[in-house]
Amino acid sequence: MPEGPEIRRAADKVEAVIKDTSLEKVEFGLAQLKPYAKQLEGEKVLRMETRGKALITHFSNGLSMYSHNQLYGVWHTCKRNEIPGTTRQLRVGLHTETHSAILYSASDISIWPTQTIHEHPFLQRVGPDVLNNSVSEEMVLERLRSKAFYNRALSGLYLDQRFMAGLGNYLRSEILFAAGVHPSLKPSQIGDDQLRSLAHHTLAICKRSYETGGYTVYTELREVLEAKGVNFEGTRFMVFDREELPCRVCATPIKRQTYNGRRLYWCSQCQAM
């Protein structure tokens, strides 16, 4: 499933081709949404807001569309006359005179009045978005210390969208490694300096992944690896998907274990209990 950085990049991609331009044609593939098509034709997309793995499209007529890609949903953008052939099911088609933005295969889509979109059940229960510029390290630190999360194992907490929206499996491994924290520990079990490091890397790793298209390694190491001819998958992560490969910091073989039903990677030396 795509995580927060991938959803924000998808939103950027859609905004780049249709934002602030009149929609000449709107299509919906779900029966319950079809009546909204005519209401949106002639309107403009004002902005695309992300809340973790959910995307909210705000239109100029006071309506907003909630969509969640889940496992199989994907946004595709193209010139209006170059829509690709595909076996995927069209769910949303937003077409200007020159370009199209099409959402395929997603099933969790609904239209709301913009003023009440915050009442959507998913949006009511998720935490702050990790890529929202208004979210600070102090805010993350405050949540780590809060009663709701202080005694939760980090392995589970960093998958819980109520804690921070947009975190996911690869980000969990990468953030905990960068902060030097063992995944079994709870915020209540680590010192203040390490908590602050964790808060810092929670935002920094997510921002780096967003800005680089999926890399969580720091820039200097990435450049060294790429100069050696290492491909994207072999370069992008510090620990995730690197079981038994040497840690990039201390050369200890990276471990893999299932936590909360999903694979997690860590270094037993850099992240000792």
Side-chain angles (χ1 to χ4, degrees):
M1 181 183 291
E3 301 178 23
E6 290 72 43
I7 297 301
R8 184 60 253 177
R9 289 176 67 85
D12 292 347
K13 179 174 70 172
V14 174
E15 282 190 336
V17 299
I18 66 170
K19 182 182 177 183
D20 295 328
T21 304
S22 295
L23 297 172
E24 188 178 85
K25 182 180 179 181
V26 176
E27 301 175 275
F28 288 110
L30 299 174
Q32 68 270 26
L33 300 180
K34 290 181 182 294
Y36 291 103
K38 292 300 181 184
Q39 294 183 48
L40 295 174
E41 289 178 359
E43 301 294 336
K44 298 178 181 180
V45 171
L46 300 180
R47 65 189 177 97
M48 310 279 282
E49 177 186 356
T50 54
R51 288 285 301 278
K53 302 172 188 180
L55 196 155
I56 307 154
T57 307
H58 296 292
F59 299 98
S60 56
N61 66 344
L63 292 178
S64 294
M65 179 177 71
Y66 169 94
S67 60
H68 196 299
N69 283 19
Q70 300 172 305
L71 284 175
Y72 303 110
V74 61
W75 280 95
H76 181 82
T77 59
C78 59
K79 291 184 177 180
R80 178 72 184 272
N81 60 353
E82 296 179 2
I83 296 174
T86 178
T87 57
R88 284 179 172 271
Q89 293 185 323
L90 182 147
R91 299 303 193 193
V92 180
L94 304 175
H95 309 279
T96 70
E97 183 179 357
T98 59
H99 288 83
S100 296
I102 305 169
L103 177 58
Y104 291 108
S105 302
S107 57
D108 190 2
I109 308 167
S110 55
I111 303 290
W112 293 68
T114 299
Q115 62 185 7
T116 61
I117 185 68
H118 63 278
E119 296 176 4
H120 187 287
F122 179 84
L123 300 179
Q124 285 189 316
R125 67 176 181 265
V126 296
D129 188 290
V130 289
L131 290 173
N132 189 310
N133 289 332
S134 68
V135 175
S136 66
E137 292 179 18
E138 285 299 321
M139 290 174 63
V140 180
L141 183 62
E142 182 179 336
R143 295 184 73 76
L144 285 166
R145 290 170 169 165
S146 71
K147 183 178 179 180
F149 306 122
Y150 198 50
N151 283 305
R152 294 272 307 278
L154 293 167
S155 60
L157 182 59
Y158 270 69
L159 292 180
D160 189 341
Q161 299 303 291
R162 293 171 297 182
F163 169 58
M164 295 293 297
L167 296 177
N169 209 34
Y170 82 81
L171 290 171
R172 171 177 69 162
S173 291
E174 295 295 290
I175 291 167
L176 295 180
F177 174 77
V181 180
H182 192 280
S184 295
L185 293 175
K186 304 172 183 178
S188 60
Q189 295 174 313
I190 60 180
D192 188 68
D193 287 347
Q194 207 164 30
L195 274 179
R196 289 186 176 277
S197 176
L198 187 55
H200 167 75
H201 288 293
T202 297
L203 300 185
I205 296 294
C206 293
K207 183 178 181 181
R208 184 183 301 159
S209 180
Y210 162 67
E211 292 178 342
T212 62
Y215 290 92
T216 57
V217 298
Y218 53 91
T219 303
E220 294 81 2
L221 176 57
R222 174 185 170 186
E223 291 173 348
V224 169
L225 293 171
E226 289 179 338
K228 293 179 179 179
V230 182
N231 64 17
F232 173 70
E233 291 301 332
T235 303
R236 65 183 297 202
F237 297 129
M238 293 296 285
V239 291
F240 187 79
D241 209 20
R242 299 192 68 245
E243 181 182 11
E244 296 303 322
L245 292 175
C247 172
R248 300 195 194 275
V249 174
C250 71
T252 301
I254 297 299
K255 293 182 176 293
R256 167 182 167 164
Q257 188 169 335
T258 299
Y259 282 90
N260 303 90
R262 301 180 70 183
R263 58 195 172 115
L264 187 149
Y265 300 82
W266 85 100
C267 172
S268 59
Q269 179 68 28
C270 296
Q271 298 168 266
M273 289 283 282

mmCIF file of all heavy atoms in Angstrom, residues 71 81 209 246 270:
data_model
loop_
_atom_site.group_PDB
_atom_site.id
_atom_site.type_symbol
_atom_site.label_atom_id
_atom_site.label_comp_id
_atom_site.label_asym_id
_atom_site.label_seq_id
_atom_site.Cartn_x
_atom_site.Cartn_y
_atom_site.Cartn_z
ATOM 1 N N LEU A 71 -5.301 -0.751 -1.543
ATOM 2 C CA LEU A 71 -4.212 -1.545 -2.113
ATOM 3 C C LEU A 71 -4.012 -1.321 -3.603
ATOM 4 O O LEU A 71 -2.892 -1.339 -4.104
ATOM 5 C CB LEU A 71 -4.457 -3.041 -1.856
ATOM 6 C CG LEU A 71 -4.193 -3.542 -0.439
ATOM 7 C CD1 LEU A 71 -4.591 -4.996 -0.330
ATOM 8 C CD2 LEU A 71 -2.726 -3.371 -0.065
ATOM 9 N N ASN A 81 -6.018 13.571 -25.161
ATOM 10 C CA ASN A 81 -6.170 12.645 -26.294
ATOM 11 C C ASN A 81 -5.233 11.448 -26.228
ATOM 12 O O ASN A 81 -5.058 10.731 -27.209
ATOM 13 C CB ASN A 81 -5.958 13.387 -27.613
ATOM 14 C CG ASN A 81 -4.571 14.004 -27.724
ATOM 15 O OD1 ASN A 81 -3.805 13.992 -26.760
ATOM 16 N ND2 ASN A 81 -4.241 14.537 -28.891
ATOM 17 N N SER A 209 11.683 11.072 1.796
ATOM 18 C CA SER A 209 11.069 10.134 0.857
ATOM 19 C C SER A 209 10.188 10.860 -0.153
ATOM 20 O O SER A 209 10.202 10.561 -1.355
ATOM 21 C CB SER A 209 10.246 9.093 1.618
ATOM 22 O OG SER A 209 9.646 8.183 0.730
ATOM 23 N N PRO A 246 24.577 -6.297 5.177
ATOM 24 C CA PRO A 246 25.263 -5.546 6.244
ATOM 25 C C PRO A 246 24.627 -4.183 6.480
ATOM 26 O O PRO A 246 24.272 -3.474 5.531
ATOM 27 C CB PRO A 246 26.692 -5.420 5.730
ATOM 28 C CG PRO A 246 26.592 -5.584 4.247
ATOM 29 C CD PRO A 246 25.465 -6.537 4.023
ATOM 30 N N CYS A 270 22.773 -1.171 16.085
ATOM 31 C CA CYS A 270 22.396 0.243 16.105
ATOM 32 C C CYS A 270 21.101 0.505 16.884
ATOM 33 O O CYS A 270 20.848 1.633 17.319
ATOM 34 C CB CYS A 270 22.224 0.779 14.685
ATOM 35 S SG CYS A 270 23.740 0.774 13.697
#
